[in-house]
Amino acid sequence: MDINSRPVVVKRMPERLNSRTAREFLRDVRPFLSADRPQLVFDLSIVAQIDASGVEMLLKCMSEAHKRDGDVKLASLSDQAAVVLELTRTERLFEIYETSTEAARSFSGFLPNAMRQQLLHNKRSTHPLAA
Amino acid sequence: MDIRGLLLANSEHEIAGDQAFDVPLATLDVAGKSTLQRMAERLQQYGISQISAVVESTAPSGIRNFGLPSDVACVSAAPERFWKTAESAFNDMAQSGAELVILVRLGAYAEADFEKLVQFHIDRKERVTRMASDEQMLEIFCISASRRNDAASLFRTQLAHCRSECPAFQHDGYLNPLATARDLRQFAIDILTRHAQTCPAGKEIKPGVWTAPGAMIEKGARVLAPAFVGSLARIRSGAVITRCSSVERHAEVDCGTVIENSTVLPFSYVGAGLDLAHSIAGMGRIVNLHRDVTVEIVDPKLVGSMSVASGKRFVTSAAEALTYLPKLAFQGIFAAKKAEKADLHTTLRKTSPALGSAAGFETSACDTEASHKFPNMVVARRYGHQ
């Protein structure tokens, strides 16, 4: 059973995230954000400098994704990015993962309860002894 | 007996790669005074009135005070000229009649008993006596001023070796190595929790809360013990200063910011609605001690600097005062509607006002199942006794 066939877009953020680069980045990801239920992962591993407009852009992306029932997750935060996100109290708003792979995988990891029970039921009916 | 003090402050002893700031740690304020000032005052307490200080500075050399008492002669020297300047300061003392020189390199801050050190030196008729704490040799010496060659050998090896044997005098009091930013933060904690003899430079307005003259704590701001607010520092409304935090002179903490177990360096600005924890902020950077990382902050809305020049600061605050009423009038005329007073639940759901148009972004973190069942329940952080 294919639970989640929608693509997960992984995007690496630039080294310096100021108002100009944030604008450019937002322009790049906008097509993905305007899709139905967008699933994005931002890789912040090379971010060395991030200012308020960079954080603002991240929040904007998350807000856009939420509007379309999607989500934006962060991965591989550099120390610099982590400190600024903590400072601005925004780290608690995002799901943050060690690696982009883990973040991408997490999109398919979530199953609503009803769907999980249905899967379990299917499994039991196909392998009655295993239950 | 003519005993004089010579204080040296440079950053060579600080651990390579861990030099978080461009100035020697000994010149940075901790609870109102720098280590250099504290050591000069300690020497004066022991009756050593003639004190000179040599401080490493990348600014053009000359005489600068570094906040030292007015009777302390202070010379700043470029890093490459530091040891030469120190040696000539020692020679000047010897020529002007000093019999003993207490040489302290900061470095480590030790609450040394100088009287016992001098007595030990005289009793044993030594040329140079060095202070030690357990196995660790400290850079505190008692030198007979007439032994210039011994002193010269010390200065030329950057206090590593002395040409004659150098017996150790054991120190058993408070000691902080002050080699890293973490030590600097620990020093603030030790002062505020009274583990060190040295005190915060201010008045204890309530148990565990010290403020220096001119400190401004606005209505609605909370300063929870133990904490220190330096002279002319400003804590804006809604800010919380807690857990051994120290806001040094002329620093400003903007509205709604939480400073927890952190130091805000002199002339620094911390933006509105931020959460500074386990850090040292100032000089355009944050040293985060939990992550053990120094981060340059380029955005002055987050962490900025106030002008050191008092004239410039006066002009800035005058301009702010002049534009305050017109700004209010403008907002009154053009504002869409009167802003509603936010309750605690709403405030906790919003992000920092420093984030421009994304400020006040509503978090979904509070939208848990429990929050729907108990609409009046909020998850709030607890500070101190509250």
Side-chain angles (χ1 to χ4, degrees):
Chain A
M1 185 180 172
D2 188 12
I3 302 299
N4 187 351
S5 60
R6 283 171 295 116
V8 178
V9 178
V10 179
K11 208 57 184 128
R12 179 168 282 182
M13 302 203 86
E15 196 180 340
R16 284 172 199 279
L17 208 52
N18 48 34
S19 55
R20 189 180 58 81
T21 51
R23 240 189 344 261
E24 286 169 7
F25 186 83
L26 189 61
R27 204 172 42 224
D28 286 353
V29 295
R30 193 147 265 158
F32 303 113
L33 284 169
S34 51
D36 180 43
R37 296 172 72 187
Q39 302 186 133
L40 280 97
V41 173
F42 292 159
D43 183 316
L44 283 87
S45 56
I46 59 161
V47 174
Q49 228 172 50
I50 177 167
D51 65 7
S53 51
V55 181
E56 196 182 323
M57 184 274 294
L58 286 176
L59 293 176
K60 216 172 267 177
C61 290
M62 188 171 75
S63 149
E64 289 289 315
H66 282 185
K67 272 184 209 162
R68 291 171 180 80
D69 206 14
D71 203 0
V72 171
K73 300 186 181 188
L74 307 182
S76 316
L77 257 68
S78 63
D79 283 329
Q80 284 78 0
V83 167
V84 174
L85 290 182
E86 264 175 33
L87 183 73
T88 52
R89 302 175 180 168
T90 39
E91 98 284 5
R92 64 190 84 167
L93 306 180
F94 292 95
E95 276 184 47
I96 298 171
Y97 292 88
E98 290 283 304
T99 62
S100 307
T101 320
E102 275 178 46
R105 201 173 285 151
S106 72
F107 278 107
S108 55
F110 172 75
L111 289 178
N113 256 350
M115 202 176 272
R116 191 177 293 147
Q117 273 166 12
Q118 194 187 338
L119 267 180
L120 204 67
H121 175 77
N122 289 347
K123 206 172 168 186
R124 279 179 185 162
S125 56
T126 49
H127 307 285
L129 287 177
Chain B
M1 192 171 206
D2 190 346
I3 304 171
R4 300 191 192 181
L6 177 58
L7 300 173
L8 309 179
N10 69 340
S11 48
E12 272 168 29
H13 76 286
E14 288 161 24
I15 292 167
D18 199 70
Q19 288 179 353
F21 301 101
D22 304 326
V23 293
L25 289 180
T27 59
L28 292 176
D29 279 11
V30 181
K33 282 179 194 168
S34 67
T35 321
L36 190 67
Q37 278 173 279
R38 288 179 193 278
M39 191 52 93
E41 285 175 6
R42 190 166 180 86
L43 284 168
Q44 285 175 336
Q45 279 168 17
Y46 279 90
I48 301 165
S49 53
Q50 296 194 55
I51 301 168
S52 296
V54 180
V55 183
E56 182 189 277
S57 170
T58 44
S61 63
I63 295 170
R64 280 172 59 194
N65 186 259
F66 290 100
L68 286 163
S70 53
D71 49 351
V72 174
C74 182
V75 181
S76 63
E80 64 278 5
R81 300 243 348 125
F82 180 79
W83 290 105
K84 274 238 179 282
T85 313
E87 192 181 339
S88 60
F90 178 88
N91 289 338
D92 289 346
M93 283 182 169
Q95 274 174 1
S96 58
E99 290 168 81
L100 284 180
V101 176
I102 305 281
L103 171 67
V104 182
R105 183 190 180 194
L106 303 155
Y109 175 80
E111 291 189 330
D113 189 334
F114 293 113
E115 197 178 326
K116 283 184 182 167
L117 172 70
V118 169
Q119 198 59 54
F120 178 89
H121 181 83
I122 294 168
D123 289 348
R124 299 187 56 160
K125 297 188 177 92
E126 296 292 350
R127 297 172 177 191
V128 180
T129 305
R130 187 171 191 171
M131 198 173 261
S133 178
D134 297 327
E135 295 298 299
Q136 188 193 351
M137 298 305 277
L138 303 178
E139 291 180 318
I140 299 176
F141 299 84
C142 182
I143 307 169
S144 298
S146 57
R147 302 294 180 178
R148 283 200 208 179
N149 289 338
D150 294 292
S153 73
L154 261 180
F155 286 115
R156 284 165 201 178
T157 58
Q158 302 181 2
L159 309 185
H161 305 287
C162 182
R163 104 190 163 130
S164 61
E165 201 194 335
C166 203
F169 169 77
Q170 279 300 321
H171 164 71
D172 52 8
Y174 175 79
L175 171 71
N176 185 315
L178 273 185
T180 62
R182 191 176 292 277
D183 295 330
L184 191 79
R185 182 72 208 116
Q186 187 58 48
F187 190 37
I189 294 170
D190 291 341
I191 291 173
L192 292 172
T193 53
R194 310 307 304 272
H195 280 104
Q197 284 174 11
T198 184
C199 300
K203 193 178 164 196
E204 195 170 6
I205 53 165
K206 56 182 179 179
V209 176
W210 286 267
T211 57
M216 209 187 300
I217 301 168
E218 287 184 5
K219 200 178 170 189
R222 287 187 295 159
V223 182
L224 304 176
F228 171 80
V229 182
S231 68
L232 299 167
R234 189 168 189 173
I235 313 296
R236 298 259 190 187
S237 175
V240 180
I241 312 296
T242 184
R243 291 185 189 151
C244 294
S245 289
S246 169
V247 179
E248 301 297 341
R249 68 194 148 99
H250 294 282
E252 182 176 337
V253 178
D254 216 331
C255 304
T257 290
V258 177
I259 307 286
E260 180 189 343
N261 188 14
S262 298
T263 296
V264 180
L265 293 177
F267 301 101
S268 305
Y269 165 78
V270 183
L274 303 178
D275 210 344
L276 186 75
H278 316 288
S279 304
I280 299 175
M283 299 183 179
R285 63 193 72 171
I286 292 177
V287 183
N288 187 301
L289 304 174
H290 255 188
R291 294 179 181 274
D292 211 5
V293 66
T294 304
V295 177
E296 294 276 344
I297 304 288
V298 284
D299 193 342
K301 276 190 284 181
L302 301 178
V303 174
S305 299
M306 320 282 282
S307 177
V308 179
S310 54
K312 214 172 174 182
R313 278 201 313 275
F314 175 75
V315 171
T316 316
S317 26
E320 258 177 38
L322 283 175
T323 53
Y324 180 70
L325 279 177
K327 212 188 275 176
L328 274 188
F330 182 83
Q331 282 168 355
I333 295 165
F334 295 105
K337 63 169 186 178
K338 199 180 171 188
E340 283 168 24
K341 201 178 173 188
D343 60 348
L344 179 62
H345 190 256
T346 322
T347 311
L348 282 169
R349 288 159 60 101
K350 290 186 173 176
T351 52
S352 163
L355 294 178
S357 62
F361 187 90
E362 288 226 357
T363 111
S364 56
C366 296
D367 294 336
T368 57
E369 202 179 321
S371 72
H372 294 298
K373 278 184 189 165
F374 309 101
N376 294 326
M377 187 187 82
V378 289
V379 181
R381 294 172 73 181
R382 291 161 63 89
Y383 293 105
H385 64 287
Q386 303 198 337

